């Protein structure tokens, strides 16, 4: 399950040992709505390898600014508190699995 979180929870998760996969989205974004079920599905396959979350950029603008997020949807992989890879735009399930396999 992909939990929607705020900046405080996000910062807490980055301090942990497990990689964090974050779907940066907005409620008004069509491609974001299309990506949400894909992320839910792949999160089940990769639950042992990473924590999956989503962040509404309209409610967490400071976080979006911190990572220079100017377009959405954007999926970021964070390791050791750092953004190590990102994918911009809608992904199919196969593309999401390929992205995660290469970056987790």
């Amino acid at each position: 399950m992909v939990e929607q979180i705020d900046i405080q929870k996000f910062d807490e998760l980055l301090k942990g040992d497990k990689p964090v996969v974050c779907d940066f989205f907005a409620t008004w974004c069509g491609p974001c709505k299309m990506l949400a079920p894909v992320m839910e599905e792949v999160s089940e396959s990769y639950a042992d390898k990473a924590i999956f979350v989503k962040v509404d950029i309209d409610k967490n603008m400071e976080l979006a600014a911190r990572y220079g997020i100017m377009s959405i949807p954007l999926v970021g992989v964070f390791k050791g508190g750092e953004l190590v890879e990102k994918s911009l735009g809608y992904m199919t399930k196969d593309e999401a699995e390929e992205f995660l396999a290469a970056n987790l």
Side-chain angles (χ1 to χ4, degrees):
M1 182 173 155
V2 181
E3 178 186 3
Q4 185 171 334
I5 62 171
D6 61 15
I7 190 169
Q8 182 178 356
K9 176 74 174 180
F10 183 83
D11 287 341
E12 288 174 23
L13 290 175
L14 289 187
K15 294 176 185 174
D17 294 334
K18 208 168 189 181
V20 176
V21 177
C22 185
D23 175 10
F24 293 95
F25 78 103
T27 57
W28 49 263
C29 170
C32 298
K33 292 176 186 178
M34 292 170 49
L35 181 61
V38 171
M39 294 307 296
E40 286 290 342
E41 193 170 345
V42 297
S43 72
E44 294 172 13
S45 301
Y46 288 87
D48 60 328
K49 295 182 181 179
I51 299 168
F52 285 77
V53 296
K54 59 184 178 178
V55 171
D56 184 338
I57 62 162
D58 287 333
K59 293 180 180 177
N60 298 277
M61 290 185 206
E62 179 185 328
L63 191 57
R66 182 189 308 170
Y67 294 104
I69 298 169
M70 310 227 0
S71 296
I72 51 173
L74 185 136
V75 176
V77 176
F78 295 82
K79 293 180 181 176
E82 299 294 323
L83 177 63
V84 296
E85 192 59 67
K86 59 188 174 185
S87 177
L88 178 61
Y90 172 77
M91 293 184 278
T92 64
K93 181 183 177 212
D94 290 342
E95 291 169 333
E97 287 179 342
E98 184 177 317
F99 172 73
L100 294 171
N103 293 294
L104 289 179

